[in-house]
Amino acid sequence: MIRIAVQAKGRLNEESLALLAEAGISIEESKRKLLARAGDFPIEVLYLRDDDIPQAVSMGVADIGIVGLNEVEEKQFDVEIVHRLGFGNCRLSLAVPKAEEYTSPAWFNGKRVATSYPRILTRYFEQNGITAEIHEIAGSVEIAPSVGMADAIFDIVSSGGTLVTNGLREVEKVLFSEAVLIANKQLTEEKRQVVSQLMFRFESVERSRGMKYMLMNLPCDRVDDAVKILPGMKSPTILPLAQEGWCSLHVVIKENELWDKIEALKAIGAEDILVLALEKMIL
Ligand code: ATP
Ligand code: MG
């Protein structure tokens, strides 16, 4: 049995639980319980504030956890980053009031910078030889310059909309973050095995993301042309149809290539094209 720490509520909660669900791990009943047992996998879920997840995992309160890389880097607890999960993408950036003339990080010398990520920022300033005053604040960082609390900010950015709303301009992207799976460094062999079982499931879910399963009918003498259009994973599956001279062709295809390929396939005589969702890809 392993214990996974997941954000109790917030931006990572839903996708963390969705990933577990897609991996066949359903969490019993109400989320209000702090600790919940999964029905069909030796795992229990501990719901925490995201800030507390790196520490919980480093202490072994939880064996593994799903948390933003930004929190892992900021908290500096000794944990293993097992896997990048591809959601919760954002960056930690420096932003200045939009009217400021900014040419290089040297601008920050002697400035006051508000942030909830003082350690990452300290490291960045050290690396760039900048001496600035770092003001740690817990939230509403983006309003600090307009209320006179700071000259600039260092905060999470995704679309940049919040910055614009607050009259700020992103000038340095310091850390690119996404949700990561972290693990305690002293897991027993038994627990490691459960973690690798879980990883196997996560990977097959990830592989299927952005992929579709497509099937179509076409004259058998056009199969070679179709294969040229569809340089897929391996070769496509080809089955004979009851109707003489016709074949059914099945292939896994990237969603973003779908429409181009469909045009090309229709042009060589493909008919009855079906596109289906792909849930998991086990290799
Ligand atoms: P908690 O109550 O758990 O402390 P929080 O308010 O600190 O939550 P959230 O705003 O829910 O945190 O964000 C959780 C994580 O989601 C962040 O640490 C970051 O990794 C990621 N994240 C934050 N903002 C964004 C965003 N705008 N777009 C995408 N991911 C984001
Ligand atoms: Mg938090």
Side-chain angles (χ1 to χ4, degrees):
M1 168 81 88
I2 57 168
R3 186 182 289 167
I4 183 169
V6 165
Q7 190 188 24
K9 49 179 189 285
R11 287 198 159 92
L12 299 181
N13 168 270
E14 219 171 276
E15 287 194 82
S16 302
L17 294 177
L19 177 62
L20 289 173
E22 284 178 88
I25 297 162
S26 54
I27 315 303
E28 295 164 10
E29 47 29 73
S30 87
K31 282 190 202 165
R32 248 157 268 151
K33 258 169 85 180
L34 211 64
L35 190 62
R37 172 84 176 82
D40 29 26
F41 194 81
I43 197 166
E44 55 184 6
V45 179
L46 175 64
Y47 295 102
L48 294 177
R49 287 279 309 268
D50 70 343
D51 311 60
D52 298 331
I53 293 176
Q55 183 176 22
V57 171
S58 79
M59 286 169 60
V61 172
D63 300 302
I64 55 175
I66 297 179
V67 68
L69 181 64
N70 52 313
E71 289 298 327
V72 180
E73 293 281 323
E74 177 61 23
K75 297 297 188 293
Q76 294 181 5
F77 285 104
D78 193 24
V79 294
E80 183 186 341
I81 296 172
V82 182
H83 195 67
R84 293 181 168 251
L85 297 170
F87 61 88
N89 293 72
C90 58
R91 54 194 185 267
L92 279 174
S93 292
L94 282 157
V96 304
K98 66 170 185 285
E100 286 290 329
E101 208 165 293
Y102 180 93
T103 50
S104 81
W107 182 91
F108 288 98
N109 275 310
K111 296 291 201 302
R112 296 165 306 158
V113 186
T115 187
S116 310
Y117 295 90
R119 291 205 183 97
I120 297 173
L121 185 56
T122 301
R123 202 165 57 196
Y124 173 80
F125 280 157
E126 277 171 10
Q127 282 164 356
N128 287 274
I130 289 156
T131 317
E133 238 181 81
I134 296 175
H135 287 257
E136 182 174 356
I137 56 177
S140 307
V141 172
E142 62 282 359
I143 62 155
S146 59
V147 298
M149 266 170 76
D151 302 308
I153 66 161
F154 178 61
D155 203 9
I156 288 185
V157 180
S158 57
S159 66
T162 312
L163 293 183
V164 173
T165 313
N166 289 281
L168 298 167
R169 178 160 63 98
E170 183 177 17
V171 292
E172 301 293 338
K173 296 169 185 173
V174 173
L175 178 88
F176 288 86
S177 180
E178 66 187 281
V180 290
L181 183 74
I182 55 172
N184 179 277
K185 284 193 164 171
Q186 279 97 39
L187 291 185
T188 61
E189 188 47 42
E190 199 182 332
K191 285 183 174 180
R192 280 190 183 280
Q193 270 176 22
V194 182
V195 175
S196 62
Q197 240 176 306
L198 187 65
M199 277 302 309
F200 177 79
R201 295 190 182 193
F202 282 177
E203 280 167 1
S204 40
V205 171
E206 279 162 19
R207 239 177 258 127
S208 69
R209 290 224 171 106
M211 304 295 266
K212 297 284 171 194
Y213 191 80
M214 181 160 69
L215 35 152
M216 72 209 71
N217 296 333
L218 79 172
C220 295
D221 58 8
R222 304 313 297 268
V223 164
D224 287 347
D225 297 328
V227 172
K228 280 185 206 124
I229 296 168
L230 297 165
M233 316 185 346
K234 285 184 193 149
S235 57
T237 306
I238 295 149
L239 303 168
L241 292 185
Q243 190 183 338
E244 186 82 17
W246 278 76
C247 286
S248 163
L249 187 147
H250 299 206
V251 71
V252 173
I253 183 168
K254 289 200 185 105
E255 194 171 9
N256 57 8
E257 295 176 357
L258 197 64
W259 291 107
D260 286 345
K261 302 286 186 196
I262 287 176
E263 293 304 326
L265 291 162
K266 280 174 61 168
I268 61 158
E271 293 177 1
D272 308 323
I273 301 174
L274 299 180
V275 179
L276 309 178
L278 189 67
E279 273 192 21
K280 301 191 178 60
M281 272 171 71
I282 321 283
L283 299 182

